[in-house]
Amino acid sequence: MICRFQVRWQLAASMILCLLIINSGIIGLHAQGNTGSIHGTVTDQAGHSLQGVNVAVIPQSGEKRQMLSAADGKFDFTGVPAGSYTLEISAPGFNRVQLPVSMATGANQTIPVALKVASVSEEVVVEAEADNSIASELAPVKSLLDAASARTEISSNYVAEYTTPVTDMADIVQAAPGTVSFNSNGIGNGDAKIYYRGFVDGNYTTTWDGIPFQDSNDPTHHSWAYVPAAAIGHVDFDRSPGTASDIGTANFGGSIHFFSPAPSNEAHVRTEVTYGSWNTFQILGDITSGAFLHDKAHLWINGDYQSSDGYQTFAPKQNVAATAKFDYKFNDRNYLSVIATNIILDAFTNNDPTRRQLLHHGDNYLYDGTPLNPNGAPDPQYWRYSVYHVPSFFDIITFNHDFGKGWKLDTKSYAYGYSNHQHYQNKTDQDLVTDSILTATKTELVGGTDQSTWVAGATPTGIDKLNQYGRGGEIAALSYATRWGVFRTGSWYELTNTLRYQIYSDPLTWVDSPYLQDIKFHEHFYTHAVQPYAEFQFVAIPNLTVTAGIKDAWFRMNLTQYADGHTIFQLSCPTTASTLASACSATTQHAQDYNAILPSVQANYRLNSSASVFGQYGRGSIAPVSAVFDSLGAQTAVTPPPSIADTFQGGTVVKLNRVAFDADVYHIHYTNTYSTYTVPTSCGCANAGFTYNYANPNSNTIGVEAEGNVAVNHNLSFNANGTFGSAKYETFPGAAAVLNSNGVQITPALPATPTAWVALAAHDTESMGTTYQQNGLDFGIFGKRVGSRWGDISNFHQVIPLEPFWMSNMFLNYNVHSHNMFDGSKIKLSINNMFDDHSIVSNSAANDGTSLTSTTVVASQKVTASLQPYTPSWNDSIKKQAGRSIMISVQLGLTRHER
C-alpha cells in the first residue's frame, strides 16, 4: 500500500513539474511576442561606419541599456518592451545625439544615426550629463569614460544643489580632487584663489564657453569678476596641458573650463531671495523664453544683486551682475550663439590682519568703524580708507558652419574687460593696543601731500591703484571627419590693451601726490597672443582613441614704462624730491617676443562598455610677466624664455552600475620662474645698472588622485576623493658667477640649494560626502581635509609650516517637480563651515627678527636660507577660515509646459 502511494505521489509530482515547464515556456513566448528591437548603424558625416560608439537606450523609468557599435557600425537592442525611450549615441570627437523613440508592442525599429564632428568645447560635454551608471549619475563629480587625461566633471546638479547661493568659481572648483581654495571674508565676499598639484594661481588656464580669461600683466584670475556664478552651468576640470587644440596662456598646469547653462525648451520665470549670516542678502531672477521662432531659438536673461557685511569686521561687499544668452539654429548646418555678462563690484578690503590684531580683536578682525583714534589722529584701520571698484564685462559670439562631407568650421569672437580702481591705506598693521608683551605702541600715519601739516618730502600713506585692460580675440577651428578619425586645425589670436599704475595718495581726500618720487610705477602695454595648432584624433582601431598634435605658442609684448620714483626711477628727469610728475615725460619702450613649440599625445582605450584606461604626455608653457622689465632704468639686458612644464600621466575610469570611480598618477617636470640680478652702478662699466634674469631651481610634482561614488540605491550615494603626492624643487649644486666678454659680472654666484617643498602645495587632500535625492528633496553633506603645506619667505623655500585644516558644508533643498506651473520653485538651506573651524590657511611672515615673546629684533631669528625654521612674530599677516555661515533661499518659479 505504501509503495503504491509513493508511485502515485511521484507521478503527480512529475505531472505538476511538466505543467510548470510548459506554462513558463508559454509565458516566455508571450513575453517575447510583446517586446521588440531597436537596431541601426552609426556613421560619420561622410557615411563611413563608426566602430566602438557608445549607444544607450534610456527608458523613462528603469535601468538603462548600453552597448558599443560593432565593426560595421551596427547596434541591436532586443527584448525592448513597449514604451517611450531616448536613444543616445556618443563618441570621442563627435556631437552627442539624443533621439526620442516610441516603441509599440512587438515593434522592430531601424534607426540610422549620422554623427557630426564636435567643436572642442562641445566635445567636453559629450558624457558629462548623461551616464549609464547609477553611481555616476548620482555623483557630484566624476570623470569620463572617453577621457584621455585626468579630468573631473563638476555636474550642473552639484552647482545648483550643493553650493551656497552666493558661490563663486573658486568655491565651485573646490569639489575636484586636490584643489585648495579659501576666503577669509566668506564665500563670494572676496577674491579667492585656486591651488592644486603644486600650482598657484597663474599656472593654469580658465575658460568660459571656450574663451580663456585672465589678467594681462600675468595670467592670474579673480573669482569675483568676469563671470557671475549664475552664469556657470557646469565645469570641466582638465588637470593636464590638454591637446594642441586647448588654447590659453598657461595651459601647462591644466585648464578649468566653465560653461554657461544649457538652454531650456520650456519657458520659465524665476525669482530667488537669499538671506543669511553677516547680513548677506541676494536677489536673483532669470527669464527663459523656451524654444521659439519655430523651435530654432532660445533666450535666457539673468540678473543678480548681492550685498554682505562679510565675516570680517567692516569688510562689506556688494555687486550687481547681468547675463543674457541667445542662440539660434538656422538649420542643421548653421548655428549662432551670443552671450554677454557684466559685473559691477564694490568692496572694502586690501591688507590681511596681523597676529597681534587677531589676538586682541578676535579672529574676524580686519578694520575699524571709527575714522579717528582717541587721540584725535586718523585711524589707519578705518574701513573707508580701503576701497575697491571693479567693473568687468565678457561677450562671446559663437558661429558654427557644417560644410558637409565631414568638414566643419567653428568660430568664436569675443571681447572682455576688467578695471580695478582701488584706493587703500598702505599700512594697517599697527594700532593702539598694548599688553605685557607688546608694550610698544605705534600708530601708522594717515595723510598726504595735500595736507597743510604734511612733512615736506614725506611719502603719502595711501595708494591709488589702477589695473585696467580690454581684450579682443578670435578662435577659429576647422575639422574634417574621416573613417580614420577627426583632423583639426585652427588658431587663436588675442590683442590686449593694458594701463597700470600705482601712485601714493592721501587716504583722507584721495588726492594723489604730484611728485615724481611718489609714483610707484606707471606702464602701458599691448600684448599679442597667437597659437596655431594641428591635431588628429585617430579612432580607426576598435576601442582605441589616440590624439596627437602640435601647437606654436607665440606671445609679444610692446611695453611703455613712464618715469617713476620706485621701479625704473627717474630716467632722464631730475632726481630731486621736488620734481613734479607733470614736468617729466620721459619713457622707455620694450618689444619682446616669446615662443614655444608644444607637442602633445594622449590615448584612451575602452576595455569594455564600463571601463577605460588612458595615458598622456603634454608640454605647456607660460610667457614671462611684464615685471621682468621692472629694474633701474628699465635696463633689462636679457629676458628669460618661457617657462616649460612636461606632464606625464595615466589612469583609469570605471563606471559600474552601483560603483563609479577614476584614478590617475602623474609626474610634472616644471622649469620655474626667474630671479633677477642688477649689475652694481659702482662697477663703472657699460652695463652698470642693467638687470639680468636667471633661472630658479626646477621642480617636480608627482602624485596620485582618485574620486568615486557608491550608489546604495537610486536616491542615496556616498562619494569620496583624495590626493597624495609631493611637489619639490630640485637640489641645485650652486654655480659660479657669470662674466661677460668684458669681465663684467652679469649673474651672481648662486649658492647650493637643497630639495625643498613648493609653496602652498598640499601634501594630501581627502574629501567625503553623501547625497540623498528623491521627489524633489536634495540633501548633501561634504567634508574636505587639506593636508600640511609650506610657505615661502622671498626666495627661501619650505620655511613656514602650515597645518592641515577642514572644510565642512551641508545643503538641504526642496525643488517643486510636479509638472505644474510652479515647477522651478525651491527652498534651500546652506551651511558652510559647519564646525566653525578658524584654522590659519595662509601666513605672510614678517621675518623681522621679533618673536611671540619679545619685540626685540634678533638677527638670528630672520630667515636667510631655505629649510631654515621660521620664527613666528606678532607682525605676521594671517588669513584664517571664515566662520560658520547659514543661508536660506526661497525661489518662486513659474513654468510653461508644452502640452
Side-chain angles (χ1 to χ4, degrees), residues 200-246:
V200 299
D201 187 26
N203 289 171
Y204 52 82
T205 291
T206 59
T207 71
W208 184 50
D209 281 357
I211 303 300
F213 62 94
Q214 64 279 318
D215 262 351
S216 58
N217 59 303
D218 60 36
T220 54
H221 309 88
H222 303 284
S223 65
W224 58 4
Y226 309 115
V227 182
I232 299 174
H234 70 281
V235 184
D236 170 58
F237 190 172
D238 185 357
R239 297 183 298 280
S240 81
T243 66
S245 59
D246 289 302

Side-chain angles (χ1 to χ4, degrees), residues 373 375 377-381 385 424-431 442-448 451 453-455 458-462 505-508:
N373 283 320
N375 61 5
D379 181 0
Q381 283 79 35
Y385 294 157
Y424 59 91
Q425 165 72 8
N426 196 33
K427 293 185 177 180
T428 60
D429 56 355
Q430 302 289 341
D431 53 37
K442 180 181 178 182
T443 302
E444 299 290 351
L445 293 175
V446 179
Q451 302 293 320
T453 58
W454 197 249
V455 178
T459 300
T461 65
S505 183
D506 181 359
L508 300 174

Side-chain angles (χ1 to χ4, degrees), residues 799 845 847-852 860-863 869-873 876:
V799 293
N847 197 32
D848 57 4
T850 66
S851 68
L852 299 181
S860 61
Q861 293 178 163
K862 293 183 179 181
V863 171
Y870 129 89
T871 301
S873 165
D876 296 339

Side-chain angles (χ1 to χ4, degrees), residues 619-641:
R619 169 169 285 191
S621 70
I622 178 174
V625 300
S626 63
V628 298
F629 297 105
D630 292 349
S631 58
L632 176 63
Q635 299 180 106
T636 301
V638 179
T639 56

Side-chain angles (χ1 to χ4, degrees), residues 758-769:
V758 173
L760 302 181
H763 177 268
D764 59 280
T765 66
E766 298 82 29
S767 298
M768 53 187 169

